[in-house]
């Protein structure tokens, strides 16, 4: 992840620096430099064959929540390095036949009954 995104994530998780400060892009950059951690390069995840939950949902043609349910049910292998961080889903896992079958079985077709009406929910 880019330094700014890492800082945002650490702050959301309530993590502070050793001096109890919040994280900034600059502090993440300094931390990374002191420990020899490489800078994030745009597109490196895709080059490694890794997708986020949203990207995996787009590739499977379904809603991200459906993909998350597949992960939680154990049908789609994925990694989340700690709570609150993005899911990492490998391309090779998305292409597995069992995952493809599960994805197709969770897609429900729109009813073909001509007289059936859509149910409109009111939020008021």
């Amino acid at each position: 992840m880019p330094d700014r995104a890492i800082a945002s994530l650490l702050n959301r998780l309530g993590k502070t620096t050793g001096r109890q400060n919040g994280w900034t892009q600059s502090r993440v950059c300094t931390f990374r430099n002191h420990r020899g951690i490489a800078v994030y390069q745009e597109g490196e995840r895709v080059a490694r064959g890794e997708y986020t939950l949203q990207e995996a949902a787009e590739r499977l043609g379904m809603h991200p929540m459906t993909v998350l349910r597949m992960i939680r049910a154990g049908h789609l292998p994925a990694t989340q390095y700690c709570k609150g961080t993005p899911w990492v889903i490998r391309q090779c896992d998305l292409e597995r036949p069992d995952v493809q079958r599960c994805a197709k079985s969770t897609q429900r077709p729109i009813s073909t009954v001509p007289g059936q009406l859509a149910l409109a929910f009111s939020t008021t």
Side-chain angles (χ1 to χ4, degrees):
M1 294 172 63
D3 292 347
R4 180 174 293 176
I6 293 171
S8 176
L9 178 65
L10 290 170
N11 288 324
R12 267 197 325 270
L13 293 172
K15 305 298 181 189
T16 58
T17 67
R19 296 184 181 202
Q20 304 305 309
N21 293 317
W23 287 94
T24 63
Q25 180 178 350
S26 175
R27 288 183 177 135
V28 171
C29 180
T30 301
F31 179 89
R32 192 176 34 70
N33 287 335
H34 282 259
R35 286 158 181 80
I37 300 170
V39 177
Y40 174 77
Q41 300 295 321
E42 191 65 40
E44 72 179 64
R45 279 185 310 96
V46 176
R48 287 193 307 260
E50 297 174 348
Y51 296 98
T52 64
L53 188 69
Q54 181 68 39
E55 293 165 342
E58 290 169 8
R59 288 188 53 92
L60 292 171
M62 56 182 44
H63 194 275
M65 194 62 204
T66 305
V67 175
L68 183 59
R69 282 194 292 271
M70 288 175 61
I71 292 169
R72 289 181 176 160
H75 300 300
L76 175 61
T79 305
Q80 190 178 33
Y81 293 106
C82 67
K83 186 177 180 179
T85 60
W87 285 96
V88 177
I89 303 163
R90 297 181 325 182
Q91 181 178 355
C92 61
D93 290 328
L94 286 178
E95 295 169 352
R96 287 177 23 187
D98 59 323
V99 171
Q100 292 292 318
R101 271 192 309 278
C102 182
K104 286 186 184 356
S105 72
T106 60
Q107 296 174 347
R108 294 180 179 88
I110 297 174
S111 175
T112 57
V113 178
Q116 187 169 357
L117 302 173
L119 178 61
F121 289 97
S122 174
T123 58
T124 58

